[in-house]
Amino acid sequence: MQRALNIARDRFADWYQAVVAGADMAESSPVRGAMVIKPWGYGVWEQIQAELDRRIKATGHENCYFPLFIPLSFIAKEADHVDGFAKEMAVVTHHRLKMIDGRLQPDPEAKLEEPLVVRPTSETIIGDAFSRWIRSHRDLPLLINQWANVVRWEMRPRLFLRTTEFLWQEGHTAHASEAEAVAETAMALEMYRSFAEDVLAMPVIAGEKPENERFPGAVATWSIEAMMQDGKALQAGTSHFLGTHFAEAQNIKFQDDAGTLTLCNTTSWGVSTRLIGGVIMTHGDDDGLRLPPAIAPRQIVVVPMLRDKPEDEHVMAYCEELVKSLSKLSAFGQPLRVLLDNKKIKSAEKRWNWVRRGAPLILEVGPRDAAGANVSMMRRDDLRDGDKVKSVIKPRQDFLENAVQLLTEIQAGLYAEAKARLDANIKTGITDWAGVENYFAGGDDDFKGWLRISWSKPTGDALEKIGAQLKALKLTIRNAPLDQPETFAKCLFTGAAGVEEILIGRAY
RNA sequence: CGGAGCGUAGCUCAGCCUGGUAGAGCAUUAGCUUUGGGAGCUAAGGGCCGUUGGUUCGAAUCCAGCCGCUCCGACCA
């Protein structure tokens, strides 16, 4: 059968790259690990930004912008933070180039007194501002967000999933009490969960990261974890309770109503362009991407079937009117995003381009459709009947009346499909290490999903040991889901009394 | 940074083992045909065969270095 892609999901890594390329979302750049995000990929990011930004503002946060460059000394202030990020830092050491021996290179005369790091995250530079902005309990809570790019010098980049430079949103807040800060962290986590599920149609498990997977410098880290179609986990968003660690390091203090100088409790939380990788690996199929309508830059694409004949004019006029009528409608609280694809390329090619890009609804309109007031409709979420492409002829008026409902159905359908996969592939009931080994035996390519097991939540060296044990099977602890039972089986690792259930699995 | 594989036309790749004038399909351009859907025929354009050096009368092909990409590890949103 002829597919829109020439690689199927059984070669998942190759398939992923084929989808990104086929959907024309991004490409690698001359700089290793840094990607060019192309209009269709960036369009998805703009939808993510727009909707998440609404939610961030609705919960009382304000947007700011902090510098890309951070004085090296700032990073050095929080010891764990240094440990976590030192190995992946881009550093600016000079401010001028000079031609020396015929080669353009940094001018030794123009060496910076203090090197600047390119932000890998902004806790330190925002903390510095917080220490100046906060004086009184009346300045709290301070709720800030920024949309920015960050740089982490990663070893093995993968488009969208792990790039040297990536785009994200980072929330940073300061609070008068620990309880308030923890509540803020929970709020952000819940915002991410609902955003992932309702907007990206990507079901996730929200929970707390174990001690050894925490953000460097955090007291506690929570995450949402999504299951990709190869069974691996993708950490899709994080929320960190930083306690007073950064407040201590950066002197973020306030006078309470009794006049006592007190350290703030701070939080930070973020999601990145990685979400786009998650959407691809959650919803893509062997014909390319399938975009949830809520984030599709174009939800309906109209492809006129032109043949350089006089009736083309009528077809175009009909299509223009159709697009105009559709554009008056609203779905997911926003005006419908409709495109008339009038590029001067072959119609058949247009169709397959939109299939690969994952436009939720593709309408083909030929002379006979135009004459009969019909449209030929393809649903990207339900493209084929066996090997054949399902193209359904519908009266134009019916389509207009049902378009919004249809998009809502597609959104729900993609979620339901992914949710069923997630639920079916979290295995419970394994109670000893031999069972884990046995379950994850066999090839890396086998679909395994995750295990939900009980443990005694060891810390320190005991936890390190478990980490190493898991690592031998390429497993990690993903998180301890928020939703916990009343009673627990014995700890799978130690045999001690269980106190918590955790998810383990392979991850990106 | 370690292990494996790969760099040949815009794209996907063959040719390399066994050295002897640079190939195919798709895409592009032109003409004709076709017209409910990824069309057919004919013709044309398009290559420092990643890069530097070595071996050789002769290198896409053999050898070495370098650069880049992909996969597997270590790192990670």
Side-chain angles (χ1 to χ4, degrees):
Chain A
M1 160 182 26
Q2 192 169 20
R3 288 282 189 181
L5 293 183
N6 50 16
I7 300 171
R9 278 166 293 178
D10 52 358
R11 289 162 56 195
F12 203 72
D14 291 339
W15 167 85
Y16 175 77
Q17 292 187 75
V19 176
V20 172
D24 208 25
M25 299 187 92
E27 60 187 25
S28 54
S29 76
V31 181
R32 201 191 102 85
M35 66 176 164
V36 177
I37 308 177
K38 301 177 81 175
W40 189 248
Y42 199 76
V44 172
W45 180 239
E46 286 180 312
Q47 294 304 325
I48 290 174
Q49 272 188 309
E51 181 53 35
L52 195 54
D53 197 57
R54 277 192 282 276
R55 294 177 183 224
I56 290 169
K57 285 175 179 154
T59 45
H61 304 82
E62 293 178 299
N63 283 338
C64 282
Y65 188 77
F66 290 85
L68 171 67
F69 300 122
I70 299 177
L72 187 58
S73 58
F74 279 29
I75 301 286
K77 285 178 183 169
E78 215 292 330
D80 288 335
H81 204 57
V82 177
D83 284 350
F85 285 108
K87 283 172 284 182
E88 49 187 59
M89 212 78 96
V91 186
V92 180
T93 54
H94 293 74
H95 63 83
R96 190 163 62 210
L97 297 174
K98 195 178 181 184
M99 195 65 86
I100 303 170
D101 301 331
R103 259 186 64 223
L104 196 57
Q105 48 192 293
D107 183 351
E109 307 275 298
K111 198 164 177 214
L112 293 177
E113 190 79 3
E114 179 181 2
L116 300 172
V117 304
V118 181
R119 64 177 161 226
T121 178
S122 302
E123 275 74 9
T124 57
I125 192 129
I126 292 181
D128 176 67
F130 278 15
S131 73
R132 286 178 284 109
W133 293 356
I134 298 168
R135 288 285 170 265
S136 152
H137 62 95
R138 297 194 180 88
D139 297 323
L140 299 175
L142 183 54
L143 308 174
I144 291 301
N145 178 64
Q146 84 165 347
W147 291 93
N149 55 338
V150 287
V151 169
R152 297 182 187 177
W153 217 263
E154 300 288 357
M155 294 299 179
R156 194 140 62 81
R158 240 146 122 33
L159 291 176
F160 289 114
L161 297 175
R162 196 183 303 103
T163 47
T164 303
E165 178 186 0
F166 57 93
L167 307 182
W168 77 349
Q169 150 282 314
E170 47 180 328
H172 294 272
T173 68
H175 305 264
S177 71
E178 177 173 331
E180 256 186 58
V182 170
E184 167 77 10
T185 317
M187 184 285 304
L189 187 70
E190 168 56 20
M191 179 173 71
Y192 290 155
R193 185 208 60 77
S194 68
F195 178 77
E197 299 195 334
D198 301 342
V199 180
L200 306 180
M202 183 169 77
V204 294
I205 304 283
E208 184 178 356
K209 287 283 193 187
E211 176 188 276
N212 61 340
E213 301 274 348
R214 273 180 204 147
F215 175 75
V219 175
T221 288
W222 286 265
S223 72
I224 52 169
E225 302 283 331
M227 185 185 286
M228 304 295 102
Q229 286 185 72
D230 59 353
K232 286 193 194 168
L234 184 75
Q235 181 173 310
T238 48
S239 183
H240 314 294
F241 169 57
L242 305 174
T244 55
H245 288 178
F246 284 85
E248 278 163 44
Q250 299 192 278
N251 199 34
I252 309 173
K253 289 179 183 164
F254 70 100
Q255 275 194 311
D256 64 21
D257 51 8
T260 315
L261 210 51
T262 310
L263 286 167
C264 288
N265 278 265
T266 63
T267 81
S268 67
W269 28 273
V271 297
S272 71
T273 34
R274 170 179 272 193
L275 287 176
I276 298 173
V279 166
I280 295 169
M281 291 194 290
T282 300
H283 300 304
D285 68 11
D286 292 346
D287 286 300
L289 183 58
R290 296 188 304 169
L291 277 175
I295 54 156
R298 303 292 187 172
Q299 295 153 320
I300 303 178
V301 175
V302 178
V303 178
M305 308 304 288
L306 305 175
R307 353 175 163 258
D308 293 321
K309 293 247 169 120
E311 60 261 35
D312 282 5
E313 206 179 317
H314 181 233
V315 171
M316 279 306 288
Y318 178 83
C319 287
E320 278 162 16
E321 194 285 323
L322 179 65
V323 168
K324 215 168 135 189
S325 301
L326 285 167
S327 300
K328 288 180 190 150
L329 304 173
S330 284
F332 311 102
Q334 301 296 318
L336 224 56
R337 299 182 289 273
V338 190
L339 175 74
L340 172 57
D341 186 354
N342 56 7
K343 259 174 120 176
K344 295 203 181 325
I345 58 171
K346 274 182 241 167
S347 305
E349 197 184 335
K350 287 183 198 174
R351 170 215 269 205
W352 290 106
N353 285 344
W354 290 115
V355 166
R356 277 184 286 265
R357 287 175 185 162
L361 289 173
I362 302 167
L363 301 182
E364 293 180 324
V365 176
R368 217 175 295 167
D369 296 311
N374 291 323
V375 297
S376 296
M377 183 194 83
M378 278 175 290
R379 283 177 66 150
R380 184 57 187 88
D381 67 322
D382 184 25
L383 187 68
R384 291 174 186 270
D385 185 4
D387 293 356
K388 281 182 62 181
V389 170
K390 269 195 236 176
S391 181
V392 185
I393 297 174
K394 290 195 157 203
R396 172 187 167 287
Q397 194 54 34
D398 276 16
F399 180 76
L400 275 173
E401 281 164 18
N402 294 315
V404 170
Q405 172 64 23
L406 207 50
L407 289 170
T408 310
E409 265 175 47
I410 292 171
Q411 181 81 21
L414 287 175
Y415 176 78
E417 194 181 314
K419 176 74 171 145
R421 182 169 53 239
L422 175 68
D423 289 345
N425 291 291
I426 298 178
K427 190 170 169 59
T428 56
I430 288 181
T431 54
D432 58 11
W433 182 248
V436 175
E437 281 182 318
N438 193 39
Y439 186 72
F440 283 101
D444 202 25
D445 293 334
D446 296 354
F447 188 103
K448 293 297 187 183
W450 310 342
L451 296 184
R452 184 165 178 145
I453 60 168
S454 183
W455 79 333
S456 54
K457 205 174 178 178
T459 58
D461 290 346
L463 177 57
E464 291 302 320
K465 233 182 93 185
I466 289 170
Q469 197 178 352
L470 287 166
K471 197 169 174 184
L473 294 176
K474 297 184 190 174
L475 298 170
T476 49
I477 300 171
R478 302 318 306 160
N479 67 25
L482 293 182
D483 173 31
Q484 293 282 332
E486 302 274 311
T487 59
F488 300 91
K490 276 191 302 184
C491 175
L492 181 142
F493 302 102
T494 65
V499 299
E500 189 176 64
E501 287 188 356
I502 54 172
L503 295 170
I504 62 177
R506 290 176 179 154
Y508 277 96

